[in-house]
Amino acid sequence: VLTQSPATLSLSPGERATLSCRASQDIRGSLAWYQQKVGQAPRLLIYDASNRATGIPARFSGTGSGTDFTLTISSLEPEDFAVYYCQQRRTWPLTFGGGTKVEIK
Amino acid sequence: EVQLSESGGGLVQPGGSLRLSCGVSGITFSDYGMNWVRQPPGKGLEWVSHISDTGDDTHYVDSVRGRFTVSRDNSKSTLYLQMNSLRAEDTATYYCTRSRWDVWGQGTTVTVSS
């Protein structure tokens, strides 16, 4: 089970966003982060806990291993307001967290 | 450019069947495992199924095991999801994605309702 917190994060453009994902068991570094906007498919941001996917801006960073992981957006841009999901790829069944909505304050 | 395109969604009665397809272009399809992921209206993402590059290894989420079957035709660069004994809780947008998870289709909507 993956638990994301907070459920909603209300911030202003330019602020720093810190999103948490906690696994119920050790998943080593097998964690990914996705961004999803309304009406769109998810977009891969981070894989293997800390590696940015192709084309992802440097303001997105991922850290963590074991059971505790963090996605940080260093300075929010207007296009960053969306829902973010974590996903573990360590064991079957693969699972997603419940999501964190980053909304404009 | 890598493109994935799902089709086959629609409205079906409880207990009915549908077959989803995912056409893939821009890559060597047989080099990649593939996944189906679904998203009920207004809710989060749920991984549904995985199939290996050769098709000889498959995995399912417990809620669909025994009802859904994933398959692929590498000669046609197409992924399938046969969905039987459909339930209301299967209502969702279904996405296909390759095993790198970096490219997703636009999704196809399945509605199970009488």
Side-chain angles (χ1 to χ4, degrees):
Chain A
V1 176
L2 294 178
T3 302
Q4 290 188 241
S5 62
T8 304
L9 200 51
S10 298
L11 295 169
S12 300
E15 289 193 294
R16 182 184 189 89
T18 303
L19 288 66
S20 174
C21 178
R22 177 163 290 179
S24 59
Q25 61 188 60
D26 186 349
I27 58 171
R28 309 289 178 87
S30 298
L31 190 100
W33 290 94
Y34 299 84
Q35 176 193 70
Q36 188 180 33
K37 298 179 181 179
V38 174
Q40 297 184 14
R43 174 193 181 195
L44 178 66
L45 299 175
I46 302 287
Y47 64 94
D48 293 343
S50 61
N51 295 288
R52 270 190 304 277
T54 302
I56 301 304
R59 65 181 181 273
F60 291 92
S61 63
T63 59
S65 66
T67 60
D68 289 298
F69 300 86
T70 300
L71 174 70
T72 301
I73 310 171
S74 59
S75 179
L76 283 164
E77 296 288 339
E79 62 267 27
D80 298 336
F81 291 91
V83 180
Y84 293 82
Y85 295 95
C86 58
Q87 179 204 31
Q88 69 81 17
R89 303 177 187 176
R90 177 72 180 168
T91 60
W92 304 106
L94 308 183
T95 51
F96 289 90
T100 291
K101 181 179 181 180
V102 179
E103 64 176 23
I104 299 176
K105 186 174 181 180
Chain B
E1 181 188 6
V2 183
Q3 289 191 323
L4 282 63
S5 180
E6 302 92 341
S7 60
L11 174 63
V12 61
Q13 292 188 339
S17 298
L18 276 179
R19 187 176 83 155
L20 306 184
S21 300
C22 171
V24 179
S25 61
I27 57 170
T28 302
F29 180 65
S30 58
D31 284 348
Y32 297 95
M34 298 292 294
N35 294 277
W36 287 100
V37 173
R38 67 184 179 183
Q39 186 168 37
K43 296 189 177 181
L45 302 169
E46 180 182 42
W47 169 79
V48 173
S49 181
H50 167 88
I51 186 167
S52 64
D53 52 359
T54 59
D56 59 2
D57 187 34
T58 58
H59 298 271
Y60 299 92
V61 68
D62 285 350
S63 59
V64 309
R65 187 176 292 112
R67 300 187 299 123
F68 290 12
T69 302
V70 62
S71 63
R72 63 191 296 158
D73 185 337
N74 285 348
S75 69
K76 295 182 178 179
S77 296
T78 303
L79 172 73
Y80 302 101
L81 186 68
Q82 178 66 44
M83 305 187 296
N84 298 331
S85 303
L86 282 161
R87 306 167 181 168
E89 55 264 36
D90 296 318
T91 294
T93 297
Y94 285 73
Y95 297 99
C96 59
T97 176
R98 67 172 175 175
S99 55
R100 287 188 183 177
W101 298 88
D102 57 342
V103 184
W104 295 59
Q106 82 288 349
T108 188
T109 300
V110 173
T111 302
V112 184
S113 175
S114 55

